[in-house]
Amino acid sequence: MKKSVALMFAAVFAVQCLTAQVAEGIKLLHYEKNKSAKEVLQKNYDANSKDPQAIYWLGQAFLAGNGIEVSKEDVSAAKAIYQKGLQEIGSDAWLLVGMGHVELREGGDLNSAKQKFEQAITATTETKGKNKGKPNAGILTAIGRANADGDSKMGDPIYGIDKLKQAAALDLVNPDIYIYMGISFQKLGGENGGEAVKAYTEAISRDPKSALAMFRIGIIYKSQNNEELFNQYFDNAKTADPAFPPVYYALYQYYSEKDVTRAKGYLDQYVQTADKDSRNELYQADYLFRAGKYDESLAKAKELDAAVGLKAVPRLGVVYAFNYLRKGDSLSSRKYIEEFLTTAPASEIQSSDYKLGIEVLSKFPGSETVAEGFIEKALLADTVKKNQIALINAAAEMFGKAKSYQAQLNWMKRGMQIKGSLTEADHYALTSSAYNAKAYAQTIEFAKSYMAAHPDKPQPYSFFKRAVMVNGTDTAAIIKNLDYLDSVYAHVDIEKYRKAIFLNEYFKINYYVNQFNEIKKRPDFKITTKGEKSASVEEFLAVCQKAVLVADKMLALYPTAGEENNKYAQDVKATIQKTIEYYSNPGAKGNASGAKTGS
């Protein structure tokens, strides 16, 4: 199980009028202690309900949600408090930014939100003095914060980055400008990870104790499976502030599948430093599962379920599914994981949950289509190459077990495209999958690559020849492919593959014998008394010559007289040559029976 860490904002703006309560509330948001932050900022608001920043920050506490998701109720609460403020004190810049942030969260018109942001900038731009024409850095930073929030589909991170760069030029001390900038770069995609790291590094240069900036860099390296670097930055975050909860959960999350004892230590530290919450009980149930204590884990899950219910803690369904699967109750496991994956908020679902769904559904033939949908969602949720390949391999294995070989092949090809360079096992799996799917043309192409990469292995040659021989009735195409195979055999090790080449030539010579025997049956197969040959006779003789060439190849492979294969080739060649002499003789009579060859 994984906890979806909500977007964290350290928002200590360089604004002199912040009260001690606001500063404390912001620090709690920084530490992802959203419940406590909301309580502190609510008290501050109650005492200063006409203060724009008191209103703004309470709204931000609602927009932070519960640390995992931002519900419609959270957004509505923020919207209500901002609207109330606008009615009571007018169009203050902080409230305009707050309302623009709400519009982004509601999925509303981006341009409408930007209009509010620009209106806030205009309202706070100095009109005289040494700062004439300069906007307010705090407002610019709040706009950057709003556009950094949420997933990649929310807001305009490029617009936000532009405003944050302006803020950074005006405010030379606030580290959070660069934290929002780093988050915005991450929203633009994995290829911008380097820019995000630069931004977080700048935040650390402004505040060497910024645990959040260190943690965010660690998260980037964690997504790249760079254990050395993410541990380094996580350690830096712990050193900067031992009471920073998110780093402990991230470490628990990572080591829960690798070292359950070590993971338990991190979980204990998380529970000690984080807000008190029913989810902490969920994490305890998850740990018990990881430790193999399935009955204890189920008991803890049922206890929490009875206290707050699945709706309040949706990931209880994942705990149930894992435990029932390990206890051999696949039906119960399927019930809980399908319900979770189809009803839980997207913010609650991790790619590993889809993988569990695939594992469970693979035990129920006929469920492949549903599982395939889970796989597609998992690939969107997890952009780490290694994890995507593992998911695709799971999909291919599932369809292989179901004997849906074409679907298996499609997934395998997709996985190989992501992976790039292939191992010998990859080549085998891909070629075998194509053969099982009866995609013989693709089998031949895959086998060619397999032969080139691993010429010492017998499998690619076997796949190639089997696919060639079963691929339709175009004998000319079969012979062309056998010629290719023989050339590879000869290049790799003619001594090792001498018999294999001879058997291919045996097929060819029999084909030519059958071909010229069929030509003889044509009504137009005639030679006049004057020795004039019809077109069919000329075609017949040309095929005979091809057969002689094949016999010569067979003799070159086995030149020793008296040896069985040599004798066969000698006899066939002699018979065919007699046939050629007979029908090449101008004095021959039409419709003569000709010679026959063994086959």
Side-chain angles (χ1 to χ4, degrees), residues 384-390 392-393 411-430:
V384 177
K385 182 177 177 180
K386 178 181 177 181
N387 297 341
Q388 287 189 325
I389 291 170
I392 288 173
N393 288 344
W411 280 105
M412 291 198 72
K413 288 195 295 184
R414 192 166 167 182
M416 301 308 171
Q417 287 171 353
I418 295 173
K419 188 170 185 179
S421 60
L422 307 185
T423 65
E424 194 271 328
D426 292 333
H427 278 290
Y428 179 87
L430 188 60

Side-chain angles (χ1 to χ4, degrees), residues 221-534:
Y221 288 121
K222 181 173 178 286
S223 72
Q224 299 169 355
N225 289 314
N226 189 330
E227 186 172 359
E228 180 181 356
L229 280 177
F230 84 65
N231 267 318
Q232 175 186 322
Y233 279 97
F234 283 177
D235 284 344
N236 291 347
K238 288 186 290 178
T239 300
D241 192 342
F244 183 70
V247 71
Y248 297 116
Y249 190 84
L251 287 164
Y252 167 72
Q253 183 183 28
Y254 181 78
Y255 286 105
S256 63
E257 297 181 2
K258 300 175 181 294
D259 184 341
V260 72
T261 302
R262 185 175 181 180
K264 179 60 164 60
Y266 291 128
L267 179 59
D268 289 343
Q269 288 174 290
Y270 174 77
V271 172
Q272 289 168 11
T273 55
D275 265 345
K276 303 304 177 186
D277 190 276
S278 58
R279 284 187 176 82
N280 294 347
E281 298 299 312
L282 171 69
Y283 306 147
Q284 294 288 350
D286 177 53
Y287 158 71
L288 289 168
F289 165 76
R290 304 289 179 188
K293 300 176 180 180
Y294 306 135
D295 290 331
E296 291 179 50
S297 178
L298 277 173
K300 175 69 75 173
K302 289 176 181 178
E303 180 183 329
L304 181 57
D305 194 353
V308 299
L310 273 170
K311 187 175 181 181
V313 191
R315 292 194 64 80
L316 268 176
V318 181
V319 173
Y320 278 132
F322 266 124
N323 279 295
Y324 283 123
L325 181 63
R326 295 296 180 267
K327 287 173 67 67
D329 186 351
S330 299
L331 281 172
S332 294
S333 182
R334 178 177 182 175
K335 170 184 177 296
Y336 281 105
I337 194 60
E338 281 198 287
E339 183 178 323
F340 172 78
L341 291 174
T342 54
T343 64
S347 57
E348 291 272 7
I349 303 174
Q350 301 299 309
S351 61
S352 59
D353 303 329
Y354 290 115
K355 190 172 181 180
L356 172 60
I358 296 163
E359 182 182 356
V360 174
L361 287 175
S362 68
K363 297 180 179 297
F364 296 90
S367 301
E368 291 79 23
T369 301
V370 177
E372 197 166 22
F374 290 161
I375 297 163
E376 293 289 1
K377 290 178 180 178
L379 292 173
L380 290 174
D382 192 339
T383 58
V384 177
K385 182 177 177 180
K386 178 181 177 181
N387 297 341
Q388 287 189 325
I389 291 170
L391 282 164
I392 288 173
N393 288 344
E397 183 179 358
M398 175 185 67
F399 282 107
K401 288 179 179 177
K403 297 185 179 180
S404 298
Y405 295 120
Q406 186 58 55
Q408 180 190 36
L409 175 61
N410 293 340
W411 280 105
M412 291 198 72
K413 288 195 295 184
R414 192 166 167 182
M416 301 308 171
Q417 287 171 353
I418 295 173
K419 188 170 185 179
S421 60
L422 307 185
T423 65
E424 194 271 328
D426 292 333
H427 278 290
Y428 179 87
L430 188 60
T431 313
S432 175
S433 179
Y435 186 81
N436 289 334
K438 299 182 180 180
Y440 300 122
Q442 289 186 68
T443 305
I444 290 168
E445 292 307 310
F446 294 151
K448 285 181 179 179
S449 298
Y450 192 177
M451 283 187 274
H454 299 279
D456 58 322
K457 299 291 183 181
Q459 291 87 350
Y461 306 105
S462 174
F463 279 125
F464 185 94
K465 185 167 182 179
R466 282 187 287 159
V468 164
M469 301 308 292
V470 78
N471 187 24
T473 57
D474 186 350
T475 310
I478 293 175
I479 288 177
K480 182 178 179 182
N481 279 312
L482 291 180
D483 285 340
Y484 174 86
L485 182 59
D486 287 347
S487 69
V488 176
Y489 278 147
H491 177 74
V492 173
D493 188 341
I494 193 169
E495 198 60 45
K496 179 179 179 180
Y497 294 111
R498 187 181 302 277
K499 184 174 181 180
I501 299 172
F502 186 87
L503 290 174
N504 289 344
E505 300 306 312
Y506 182 87
F507 171 86
K508 296 174 195 175
I509 203 165
N510 276 283
Y511 165 70
Y512 290 132
V513 167
N514 290 332
Q515 188 180 30
F516 68 61
N517 281 333
E518 288 299 315
I519 294 171
K520 281 173 55 182
K521 296 177 183 178
R522 296 178 187 171
D524 63 335
F525 184 85
K526 295 184 181 296
I527 300 176
T528 67
T529 54
K530 296 181 180 180
E532 296 171 341
K533 304 179 186 68
S534 67

